[in-house]
Amino acid sequence: MKKELDLTQEWDKTFPKSEKVNHRKVTFRNRYGITLAADLYEPKEAAGKLAALAVCGPFGAVKEQAAGLYAQTMAERGFLTIAFDPSFTGESGGIQRYMASPDINTEDFQAAVDFLSVQDHADPERIGIIGICGWGGIALNAAALDTRIKATVTSTMYDMTRVNAKGYFDAEDSADIRYEKKKALNAQRILDYKSGSYAPGGGVADPLPEGAPFYVKDYHDYYKTRRGYHARSLNSNSGWNVTGCMSFMNQPILQYTNEIRSAVLIIHGEKAHSCYFSKDAYADMVKDNPYADNKELMLIPGAVHTDLYDRLDVIPFDKMEEFFHRAME
């Protein structure tokens, strides 16, 4: 039975509404019975069966931010699209709130493919996905698992399992450091159990601490300003629970990407602090992969991480449109 969600009907996105597309709220369930909320965008001049795209990310964001901008823009270009909130976040269901899971979040993408496959105006043989930031890594995991996904785009990708296990730039890649992290997380579990609630980890720092690294300033400039703030966004507010991403520490999600047969386009800003995730993921994906010819790494000169969240002059939508049409023809 589908659980009804309380969905906001007014336009509350961080980007203006397009007059070229029709928009409506939809819901669908994943195989764990969690009901997910999504915005569906459809070209007003749509005719026949359309190629369809499911979009999610960034990690800790909501569909009213970057994912919705991507979905609406690709709908303007002739695709049927949805931008969805992951389980436990935004307007989607799932208890406990503000938790993340390598397994369930991969399933969220697959559930989106389920939904798109049965839509009247969607061609089930032409379904692709777009993952932004931490959802880029999850998108690659979904592409390695789901043979229905014909093409995948990752944008400004994070491998959340790598950054949780090894820290930024792999600076904490040691068994001793991981052990201390696990001790702290398990101690927090006891505190949460005793209190009957889960402690929030805190979103993007505000105000910015003195001497904050550039990537923290980059996130602040998006999530904590009028540019990208949203009331339901974890990163804009109190963040994931302290233990919310615990399982990412020892469940690597990119293990089988070199077995992906479908087309993949990995996009990243050349100056982004996170660019190493995409470079390494691409190298691992094509290594010993007999289906490497339809894989591509695209670096955007001068672009930083959040430029690919919302800058229409930076995000290569022309390239994405061409890629999806070619890969799903």
Side-chain angles (χ1 to χ4, degrees):
M1 179 181 296
K2 182 173 72 175
K3 180 181 177 182
E4 294 299 321
L5 301 177
D6 184 17
L7 302 179
T8 302
Q9 295 303 319
E10 67 266 19
W11 186 266
D12 64 346
K13 323 299 185 194
T14 59
F15 51 91
K17 187 175 183 179
S18 172
E19 297 303 319
K20 299 178 181 178
V21 304
N22 294 318
H23 162 265
R24 59 187 170 94
K25 289 289 184 74
V26 298
T27 61
F28 55 94
R29 280 179 300 163
N30 67 21
R31 65 186 173 94
Y32 294 106
I34 299 171
T35 302
L36 304 182
D39 288 294
L40 185 146
Y41 300 91
E42 184 177 32
K44 285 187 175 180
E45 305 302 323
K49 298 285 190 178
L50 304 178
L53 304 172
V55 189
C56 196
F59 197 78
V62 287
K63 63 188 182 303
E64 289 76 18
Q65 296 173 304
L69 175 64
Y70 274 64
Q72 179 176 262
T73 304
M74 295 306 289
E76 289 178 330
R77 292 164 177 262
F79 297 85
L80 177 70
T81 68
I82 58 170
F84 66 90
D85 284 329
S87 296
F88 315 114
T89 66
E91 293 185 303
S92 287
I95 301 294
Q96 183 64 289
R97 304 302 291 169
Y98 314 144
M99 294 291 186
S101 163
D103 177 24
I104 296 175
N105 293 150
T106 300
E107 164 61 21
D108 289 342
F109 255 132
Q110 294 193 268
V113 175
D114 295 341
F115 172 82
L116 289 174
S117 296
V118 301
Q119 298 308 299
D120 289 341
H121 295 299
D123 182 350
E125 298 302 318
R126 291 189 295 154
I127 294 178
I129 60 175
I130 300 174
I132 307 165
C133 186
W135 277 82
I138 294 168
L140 290 181
N141 194 39
L145 183 61
D146 197 325
T147 57
R148 301 169 301 170
I149 296 171
K150 298 302 189 294
T152 300
V153 166
T154 71
S155 180
T156 199
M157 188 201 82
Y158 259 57
D159 175 356
M160 295 307 302
T161 52
R162 179 176 177 179
V163 75
N164 274 278
K166 301 180 180 181
Y168 279 97
F169 316 111
D170 297 340
E172 299 173 352
D173 185 15
S174 84
D176 288 341
I177 294 176
R178 277 188 287 276
Y179 182 77
E180 293 303 318
K181 286 182 181 180
K182 293 171 188 175
K183 278 181 60 178
L185 288 168
N186 286 300
Q188 184 64 49
R189 290 180 67 109
I190 298 298
L191 295 175
D192 291 345
Y193 190 84
K194 288 179 177 179
S195 71
S197 62
Y198 291 86
V204 173
D206 185 39
L208 281 169
E210 185 176 350
F214 174 76
Y215 69 87
V216 174
K217 297 177 182 178
D218 192 25
Y219 285 132
H220 185 278
D221 185 54
Y222 180 78
Y223 287 108
K224 291 293 188 176
T225 69
R226 291 181 61 186
R227 173 186 170 195
Y229 177 86
H230 196 278
R232 289 190 295 274
S233 169
L234 297 183
N235 293 340
S236 291
N237 296 283
S238 59
W240 298 96
N241 296 330
V242 173
T243 61
C245 301
M246 185 175 182
S247 58
F248 283 88
M249 288 196 67
N250 66 344
Q251 297 183 37
I253 57 176
L254 302 185
Q255 188 72 22
Y256 294 103
T257 57
N258 70 337
E259 296 182 7
I260 297 175
R261 299 188 180 191
S262 57
V264 178
L265 171 62
I266 293 178
I267 303 168
H268 221 112
E270 183 185 35
K271 299 297 184 182
H273 71 278
S274 50
C275 192
Y276 70 100
F277 290 122
S278 283
K279 289 179 178 178
D280 291 353
Y282 175 77
D284 291 342
M285 182 175 57
V286 299
K287 183 180 180 181
D288 300 324
N289 187 342
Y291 300 91
D293 289 347
N294 58 357
K295 312 295 189 292
E296 184 176 352
L297 173 64
M298 180 182 188
L299 300 181
I300 309 298
V304 298
H305 187 83
T306 66
D307 285 343
L308 289 170
Y309 283 7
D310 63 344
R311 285 191 55 185
L312 296 177
D313 59 329
V314 174
I315 303 169
F317 283 115
D318 287 344
K319 172 67 176 181
M320 292 164 60
E321 178 184 357
E322 181 273 333
F323 165 78
F324 277 121
H325 280 310
R326 173 168 42 86
M328 300 194 294
E329 65 183 8

